[in-house]
Amino acid sequence: MNYPNKVIKAGEKNSQIVKAIQQRLIELGIGALQGTGTFGPKTVSAVKQFQAMHRDRFGNPLIVDGEVGAITWEVLFDDGVPEQHEAPAPLLAKAIEVAKSQIGVMEVPPGSNRGPQVEAYLASTNTPPGNYWCAAFVYWCFKKAAAELGIPNPVVKTAGCLDHWNRTNAVKITTAKAVNNPSLVVPGSIFIKSHGGGFGHTGIVTAVNGGFIETIEGNSNPNGSSNGIGVFRITFSKINSIEKGFIIYG
């Protein structure tokens, strides 16, 4: 059975999906289940037991919440949620290409939010040197991509992550929707994090691997943290770590 593009949890009405989960847990000898198709307390307990015993594809412990989302589904059934590595529109593909060409750009000096290329990113949004630049990096990548394709750049001209989220007219996928259905997120999507107090972080998705995304991020660090020192490829982040959601142009 393929992942049903929603989190399966207590009260789930689709008994066929619940029975498949219960039968798999029974095969693994986990929980005192009878395969009734009802996602009740015993099934919640069995799922939690399974989660406590297993790790995701990157070796991280599963979240023990008794719910079967994309990541738990992949481990439970040894069947990955479909992956996406190709952008669905020329602008998104070109923006990824441009972003890849910037991997390794560093601040000069580190920690200054300055440097020749960093200042070029900021200047593209009319933002003075020394400011946070992750959103400006995204805008610069799409601006260059659009210019190479000979089309207008549809991305909001801003160096503010949350300003971008609030002002865009593009398709917006909230994190809750993306967690339920990772296929809604595509390569070339722009993720938006919110850290509170008006601060956030952003970057470009390059691939979607089930409940995980691969990204290229400016003003970041090798671990994907915000206000970092350069442009980095982040090989995996959980979709549920993106507080706001995803913006899709093209």
Side-chain angles (χ1 to χ4, degrees):
M1 178 180 291
N2 295 326
Y3 178 64
N5 292 329
K6 63 177 180 178
V7 176
I8 311 303
K9 55 188 176 181
E12 170 60 42
K13 302 300 184 183
N14 190 320
S15 60
Q16 181 181 1
I17 296 173
V18 176
K19 284 182 179 180
I21 292 170
Q22 291 171 331
Q23 185 58 44
R24 181 58 179 154
L25 291 167
I26 290 170
E27 291 172 0
L28 296 172
I30 297 175
L33 303 175
Q34 296 179 334
T36 62
T38 299
F39 203 126
K42 288 185 179 180
T43 303
V44 171
S45 178
V47 171
K48 285 183 176 179
Q49 183 181 345
F50 172 83
Q51 291 170 325
M53 297 167 58
H54 291 81
R55 295 175 175 266
D56 64 32
R57 66 165 73 183
F58 298 106
N60 302 305
L62 296 178
I63 295 175
V64 181
D65 58 7
E67 301 180 358
V68 182
I71 296 173
T72 294
W73 182 281
E74 177 179 1
V75 181
L76 178 61
F77 289 99
D78 194 23
D79 181 23
V81 178
E83 300 183 357
Q84 300 182 76
H85 296 273
E86 299 294 330
L91 176 62
L92 305 185
K94 181 61 71 171
I96 291 174
E97 180 183 317
V98 172
K100 287 180 177 178
S101 74
Q102 301 301 294
I103 294 172
V105 168
M106 301 292 286
E107 295 178 352
V108 183
S112 66
N113 287 331
R114 291 177 176 270
Q117 193 60 19
V118 170
E119 290 170 20
Y121 303 147
L122 287 166
S124 72
T125 61
N126 298 328
T127 304
N131 282 280
Y132 300 136
W133 52 276
C134 59
F137 167 75
V138 168
Y139 179 81
W140 183 90
C141 288
F142 274 85
K143 179 182 179 181
K144 185 172 176 61
E148 292 185 15
L149 294 173
I151 61 175
N153 180 14
V155 176
V156 175
K157 186 175 183 178
T158 179
C161 305
L162 301 182
D163 183 50
H164 187 182
W165 178 263
N166 292 332
R167 291 172 53 201
T168 186
N169 292 319
V171 173
K172 292 197 288 189
I173 307 298
T174 64
T175 298
K177 290 181 179 179
V179 167
N180 279 336
N181 185 359
S183 67
L184 294 174
V185 184
V186 299
S189 301
I190 299 168
F191 73 81
I192 304 289
K193 288 187 173 185
S194 175
H195 300 324
F199 296 100
H201 184 56
T202 188
I204 300 173
V205 176
T206 56
V208 184
N209 299 321
F212 298 89
I213 52 174
E214 297 178 1
T215 61
I216 296 175
E217 307 173 16
N219 208 176
S220 190
N221 289 305
N223 64 357
S225 58
S226 59
N227 194 26
I229 60 174
V231 179
F232 295 93
R233 183 197 299 271
I234 310 302
T235 54
F236 69 91
S237 298
K238 289 183 178 180
I239 287 177
N240 63 12
S241 71
I242 307 300
E243 293 88 356
K244 275 293 183 181
F246 302 84
I247 300 170
I248 304 175
Y249 291 93

